[in-house]
């Protein structure tokens, strides 16, 4: 090796060593003292061992402070590259909080934005490991709205490749839109915070003080109250571990199917103990999670937004090795009536399933009840119509099981309780009963003039007439139930349905428009 090559190689090794040190030993110590990993430790936690291939390792900040001074910024605070998760390639971006608080400089921004483009071109998922104080203030070359570049790319490649954001530190002001534009947002409890205007900014601008009884902007807040967060972990390692698990349920891109996983759990396995699991008495609640556990391979499922609108369950699972998305009423929570939050939760999940070729299974048990005046005033119909819009246009296999009750105005229509919306197969248990309305009101007394006194014996009462499943299944033209099944054979029937519908072709008209106008 010649002297020139030796010197060049030595210089590269120096750069690599400096990058490993990030913002220096003191900054790394502060990061660890906060209970957080460094950017490179997080990447090692996410990826298979020794699989990280860094890109842009020689990048430095090109910015000059407004006082004219330059500052050292290894990688400009953005560590990016590719690696593998369970053998599958992914792209990864990690903001380095030890370098200027992970703030966004010009080169930092371009490294992230360009990586999104490359990931989309290569057809591999993009994972963000985010811990950033926002825009890098006080520098001459920082564009005031530069983050709109990666906002645009996130939106344009939405549904093309899975985008997962793992937030383990602050994300504030305009940058806070970035996590919400990804397919999934995972947050670390105690260290991950998301604000458009945090407590200090809001108080400075408006004098308003945030309530202290909630951890405003934290992981649990965005899970239980805003619904922005999909999964919460107890620290960096656990949260990143959830991201690894989630990737196992998603394809690498929109053209592919999710990876199958071999299982010794027979597709023909009969379910046991359902008499105790699902009460015959429809007035009694139960936890639908227990039925899901019985249905899926090896009892394993992965729930999304667990603590948000808990009357509706959204989760991933596998049946005979194939990934499915499960949406289920949960009679153990608020009577499982669909309200605004549960509609939004369902809508978002269904969008992901349809974008990434994941079959939908709905488990229906809606009660004889309807949301109240407050929900109506807040636009319940508009939120429910969003679900109807995406359900009707989704081209994935859609399989329904009516477990016990299916009341149309309580949400069974949105859950696939009728065939006209494009349900491929609708099964029902023998105890199932169905109706459109659940109201017990006296129409004549409530509406008064214009309603004949004998209307109860006529058409008005037909909408709330409760029919047992055999009456409904007796009419094939009703377009509701395809087959009544024994509860114990539900898993077998679902596995058969997935096999039958696997080659389902799109039945929508040829593309003659850009898109529909879903209700806002």
């Amino acid at each position: 090796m010649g002297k020139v090559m030796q010197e060049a190689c030595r210089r590269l090794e120096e750069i690599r060593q400096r990058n490993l040190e990030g913002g220096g030993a003191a900054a790394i110590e502060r990061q660890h003292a906060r209970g957080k990993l460094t950017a490179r430790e997080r990447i090692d936690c996410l990826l298979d061992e020794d699989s990280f291939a860094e890109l842009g390792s020689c990048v430095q900040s090109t910015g000059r402070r407004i006082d004219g001074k330059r500052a050292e910024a290894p990688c400009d605070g953005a560590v990016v590259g590719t690696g593998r998760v369970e053998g599958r390639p992914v792209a990864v971006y990690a903001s380095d909080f030890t370098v200027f608080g992970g703030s966004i400089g010009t080169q930092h921004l371009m490294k992230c934005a360009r990586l999104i483009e490359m990931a989309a071109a290569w057809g591999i998922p993009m994972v963000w490991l985010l811990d950033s104080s926002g825009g890098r203030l006080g520098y001459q070359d920082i564009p005031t709205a530069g983050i709109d570049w990666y906002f645009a790319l996130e939106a344009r490649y939405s549904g093309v490749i899975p985008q997962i954001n793992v937030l383990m530190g602050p994300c504030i002001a305009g940058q806070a839109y970035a996590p919400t534009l990804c397919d999934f947002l995972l947050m670390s409890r105690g260290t991950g915070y998301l604000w458009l205007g945090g407590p200090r900014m809001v108080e400075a601008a408006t004098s308003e003080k945030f309530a202290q009884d909630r951890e405003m902007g934290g992981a649990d807040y965005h899970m239980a109250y805003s619904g922005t967060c999909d999964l919460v972990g107890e620290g960096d390692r656990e949260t990143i571990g959830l991201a690894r698990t989630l990737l196992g349920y998603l394809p690498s891109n929109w053209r592919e199917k999710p990876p199958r996983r071999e299982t010794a759990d027979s597709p023909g396995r009969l379910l046991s103990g359902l008499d105790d699991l699902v009460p015959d008495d429809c007035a009694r609640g139960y936890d639908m999670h227990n039925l899901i556990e019985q249905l899926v391979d090896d009892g394993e499922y992965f729930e999304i937004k667990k603590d948000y609108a808990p009357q509706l369950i959204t989760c991933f699972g596998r049946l005979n090795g194939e990934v499915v998305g499960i949406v289920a009423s949960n009679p153990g929570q608020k009577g499982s009536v669909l309200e605004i939050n549960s509609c939004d939760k369902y809508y978002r999940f269904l969008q992901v399933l349809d974008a990434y070729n994941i079959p939908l299974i709905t488990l229906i048990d809606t009660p004889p009840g309807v949301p109240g005046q407050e929900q109506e005033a807040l636009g319940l119909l508009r939120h429910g119509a969003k679900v109807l819009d995406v359900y009707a246009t989704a081209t994935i296999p859609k399989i329904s099981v009516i477990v016990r009750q299916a009341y149309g105005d309580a949400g069974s229509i949105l859950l696939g309780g009728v065939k006209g919306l494009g349900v491929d197969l609708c099964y029902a248990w023998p105890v199932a009963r169905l109706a459109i309305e659940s109201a017990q009101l006296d129409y004549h007394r409530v509406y008064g003039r214009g309603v004949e006194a004998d209307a109860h014996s006529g058409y008005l009462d037909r909408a709330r007439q409760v029919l047992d499943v055999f009456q409904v299944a007796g009419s094939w033209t009703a377009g509701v139930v395809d087959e009544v099944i024994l509860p114990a054979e539900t898993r077998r029937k679902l596995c058969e349905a997935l096999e039958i519908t696997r080659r389902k072709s799109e039945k929508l008209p040829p593309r003659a428009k850009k898109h529909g106008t879903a209700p806002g």
Side-chain angles (χ1 to χ4, degrees):
M1 183 184 295
K3 289 185 178 180
V4 175
M5 178 64 79
Q6 279 185 322
E7 177 60 23
C9 290
R10 183 195 62 77
R11 185 178 177 188
L12 178 59
E13 288 297 332
E14 284 183 355
I15 291 172
R16 288 179 173 178
Q17 182 58 42
R18 195 157 55 245
N19 288 346
L20 293 177
E21 295 168 359
I28 292 174
E29 186 176 341
R30 286 194 298 271
Q31 182 79 347
H32 288 161
R34 297 185 182 104
K36 300 193 291 185
L37 301 176
T38 66
R40 294 181 184 275
E41 289 169 340
R42 287 166 173 165
I43 289 173
D44 289 341
C45 190
L46 173 72
L47 301 178
D48 297 345
E49 188 174 0
D50 296 327
S51 71
F52 181 52
E54 187 168 356
L55 299 170
S57 65
C58 295
V59 170
Q60 264 282 343
S61 172
T62 56
R64 187 186 295 272
R65 290 181 1 186
I66 55 178
D67 61 7
K69 295 181 179 179
R70 290 189 178 274
E72 182 83 3
C75 296
D76 205 28
V79 184
V80 307
T82 61
R84 295 184 177 274
V85 174
E86 294 187 351
R88 299 167 59 210
V90 300
V92 58
Y93 151 81
S95 48
D96 188 346
F97 201 80
T98 70
V99 178
F100 297 149
S103 60
I104 302 172
T106 301
Q107 300 307 317
H108 182 128
L109 171 71
M110 290 308 299
K111 288 177 77 172
C112 178
R114 180 63 183 136
L115 187 67
I116 299 172
E117 290 182 317
M118 292 190 290
W122 299 334
I124 61 175
M126 170 80 180
V127 181
W128 303 51
L129 303 175
L130 192 57
D131 185 359
S132 171
S133 57
R136 191 176 301 165
L137 304 180
Y139 281 75
Q140 295 175 348
D141 71 337
I142 305 302
T144 56
I147 51 176
D148 56 354
W149 296 356
Y150 62 59
F151 291 168
L153 292 171
E154 284 183 273
R156 289 168 188 162
Y157 294 122
S158 176
V160 176
I161 56 170
Q163 299 179 56
I164 297 174
N165 197 305
V166 187
L167 181 58
M168 295 165 285
C171 186
I172 61 176
Q175 190 190 13
Y177 287 111
T180 66
L181 287 168
C182 290
D183 295 311
F184 295 96
L185 170 60
L186 289 65
M187 295 181 69
S188 288
R189 181 176 285 117
T191 60
Y193 288 90
L194 184 68
W195 298 303
L196 184 59
R200 294 175 184 174
M201 292 175 63
V202 170
E203 185 172 356
T206 68
S207 299
E208 178 188 356
K209 291 188 177 182
F210 278 28
Q212 298 299 312
D213 58 332
R214 303 173 184 170
E215 190 184 9
M216 182 65 71
D220 293 313
Y221 175 87
H222 282 300
M223 169 64 78
Y225 294 106
S226 78
T228 306
C229 179
D230 294 292
L231 294 159
V232 176
E234 279 297 344
D236 287 10
R237 292 189 184 280
E238 181 175 309
T239 312
I240 293 171
L242 292 172
R244 280 183 61 92
T245 302
L246 176 57
L247 283 166
Y249 289 100
L250 300 171
S252 293
N253 58 70
W254 71 283
R255 298 180 187 276
E256 298 181 8
K257 294 290 184 74
R260 292 180 63 87
R261 180 168 294 176
E262 294 300 319
T263 177
D265 195 348
S266 169
R269 170 173 57 82
L270 297 179
L271 308 188
S272 60
L274 294 183
D275 291 341
D276 297 327
L277 193 65
V278 180
D280 287 342
D281 181 0
C282 291
R284 289 177 56 195
Y286 64 94
D287 191 346
M288 185 66 83
H289 291 92
N290 296 326
L291 177 56
I292 294 172
E293 186 177 355
Q294 285 253 15
L295 287 173
V296 296
D297 291 354
D298 306 308
E300 295 179 359
Y301 62 92
F302 192 68
E303 188 165 2
I304 303 298
K305 295 189 189 298
K306 179 180 179 180
D307 296 322
Y308 183 69
Q311 67 268 38
L312 189 79
I313 299 168
T314 53
C315 65
F316 293 108
R318 289 184 175 85
L319 287 168
N320 197 25
E322 182 174 352
V323 174
V324 296
I326 300 172
V327 175
S329 312
N330 189 12
Q333 294 279 345
K334 289 187 178 179
S336 67
V337 176
L338 282 183
E339 298 177 338
I340 287 173
N341 289 347
S342 50
C343 283
D344 287 351
K345 176 179 178 178
Y346 182 11
Y347 170 75
R348 175 68 168 162
F349 189 64
L350 185 50
Q351 282 185 312
V352 169
L353 299 186
D354 192 45
Y356 298 118
N357 309 305
I358 301 172
L360 168 69
I361 291 173
T362 51
L363 304 177
I364 305 168
D365 192 346
T366 55
V370 292
Q373 178 181 339
E374 181 181 358
Q375 288 282 308
E376 294 280 4
L378 292 172
L380 174 62
L381 284 172
R382 176 165 48 86
H383 291 262
K386 288 167 64 176
V387 177
L388 291 174
D389 177 82
V390 72
Y391 193 106
T393 56
T395 58
I396 52 175
K398 292 174 279 192
I399 304 159
S400 304
V401 180
I402 301 173
V403 175
R404 204 171 57 168
Q405 298 185 100
Y407 283 91
D409 55 1
S412 72
I413 294 175
L414 280 66
L415 289 165
V418 291
K419 298 277 290 181
L421 281 170
V423 181
D424 289 290
L425 287 165
C426 182
Y427 300 115
W429 285 9
V431 295
R433 61 186 196 181
L434 301 88
I436 298 173
E437 282 193 15
S438 57
Q440 299 300 315
L441 56 80
D442 182 332
Y443 284 109
H444 184 68
R445 180 181 61 80
V446 173
Y447 292 109
R449 188 175 179 180
V451 175
E452 299 298 329
D454 62 350
H456 295 295
S457 60
Y459 66 93
L460 287 177
D461 268 344
R462 292 182 179 231
R464 62 189 183 192
Q465 182 179 1
V466 179
L467 304 176
D468 71 42
V469 70
F470 297 102
Q471 292 173 287
V472 175
S475 171
W476 188 257
T477 55
V480 179
V481 175
D482 289 304
E483 183 64 5
V484 181
I485 64 173
L486 296 174
E489 62 187 10
T490 305
R491 172 179 162 84
R492 176 167 65 84
K493 289 294 184 180
L494 289 176
C495 290
E496 289 174 357
L498 288 172
E499 179 64 31
I500 292 166
T501 59
R502 183 170 293 127
R503 297 167 186 82
K504 177 184 177 182
S505 60
E506 296 187 9
K507 294 183 179 180
L508 295 176
R511 189 169 175 110
K513 59 182 181 179
K514 295 189 79 172
H515 51 72
T517 55

